[in-house]
Amino acid sequence: MTDRDTKAAAGMTVARSQKPFVEPLRLGERLREIRRAQQLTLEEVSRRTGVARSTLSKIENDLISPSFVVVQKLMIGLKLDMPQLLKSPHCAPRNAGRRDLTRCGEGELHPTPTYEHELLSAQMAQKLMTPFKTIVHARSIEAFSDWVRHGGEEFLLVLEGSILLYSEFYEPLQLDAGDSLYFDSDMGHAKVSISDADALVLSVCAPGERA
């Protein structure tokens, strides 16, 4: 056997010994993607599937691997089949250069009896954050029939006027123009204007992945 034959044979042996690359199963990331696509909070998924919220959070953050029984509960509760659940998560291209301009006063308006919301960057789909401005019409906590709550976290900045922020776990908090607050928005809350004119607030909401 020549040197060339020896090298070729050695190369074939190495090639046969190398296992093909198999992308690891990213079940936690896939579960989070499905949950967000269905616009569900961890609490809502827990109610539908019977899997504890803390367990769901650990799965999504790759802290634990779910048992087959848990996988079955997820499929039944979320109305999925196995291929849907095990499909690789969609990866949005990084640095895609997206942008969405909202000129002053041209946001998407959503008036309610207590607030007048103006959604910003409303044309951009699959955002990680939801920014909006709110004119706070409410003048008393009695104007609300129930707490406002939505899964995740919220940052708010008072742009004009003053508000009282009521929440189910804290005493009312006064915030004046320039003051800001970051809080868990699945905690019940409500904003009330206490200045002469209705207060104007900028809010940015994002889904949270806490246990």
Side-chain angles (χ1 to χ4, degrees):
M1 180 179 292
T2 65
D3 290 344
R4 181 180 298 177
D5 292 335
T6 302
K7 290 179 181 178
M12 291 175 63
T13 302
V14 171
R16 283 196 298 266
S17 65
Q18 290 178 336
K19 295 181 179 180
F21 173 75
V22 178
E23 184 177 359
L25 179 62
R26 293 146 59 195
L27 183 57
E29 190 176 345
R30 176 59 178 155
L31 176 59
R32 183 185 297 114
E33 181 180 76
I34 292 169
R35 177 172 64 79
R36 288 177 176 174
Q38 296 187 17
Q39 298 183 327
L40 299 173
T41 64
L42 286 172
E43 193 66 41
E44 289 169 332
V45 174
S46 178
R47 287 197 295 268
R48 290 190 181 196
T49 63
V51 179
R53 172 179 168 162
S54 59
T55 300
L56 292 168
S57 179
K58 290 175 182 176
I59 293 172
E60 287 195 3
N61 289 285
D62 293 323
L63 298 178
I64 61 172
S65 296
S67 66
F68 182 69
V69 172
V70 170
V71 170
Q72 283 185 312
K73 289 182 178 181
L74 292 174
M75 288 191 298
I76 295 171
L78 297 175
K79 295 180 172 58
L80 304 169
D81 55 27
M82 187 67 78
Q84 286 177 298
L85 185 60
L86 301 185
K87 178 182 176 183
S88 295
H90 170 72
C91 295
R94 295 180 180 274
N95 303 319
R98 298 187 304 163
R99 73 178 201 178
D100 185 5
L101 172 66
T102 305
R103 297 289 186 187
C104 181
E106 294 183 358
E108 187 176 297
L109 299 180
H110 290 267
T112 73
T114 51
Y115 300 142
E116 183 173 330
H117 298 302
E118 181 185 1
L119 297 185
L120 309 175
S121 300
Q123 301 305 311
M124 182 175 288
Q126 297 181 333
K127 299 187 294 289
L128 296 180
M129 301 178 292
T130 302
F132 56 95
K133 289 190 292 186
T134 300
I135 299 174
V136 182
H137 295 311
R139 290 286 169 168
S140 167
I141 189 63
E142 283 73 28
F144 299 86
S145 59
D146 198 0
W147 291 114
V148 176
R149 66 175 81 241
H150 44 92
E153 301 168 345
E154 179 173 341
F155 170 81
L156 69 81
L157 170 65
V158 180
L159 300 177
E160 299 175 6
S162 299
I163 65 169
L164 271 183
L165 180 72
Y166 290 83
S167 60
E168 59 183 331
F169 302 137
Y170 297 93
E171 292 295 320
L173 177 66
Q174 179 171 336
L175 297 168
D176 302 315
D179 292 342
S180 63
L181 184 70
Y182 195 110
F183 62 97
D184 291 335
S185 51
D186 49 6
M187 170 180 64
H189 58 280
K191 297 183 282 284
V192 171
S193 284
I194 57 173
S195 46
D196 291 339
D198 290 344
L200 178 64
V201 176
L202 172 67
S203 294
V204 180
C205 295
E209 306 302 337
R210 300 175 310 281

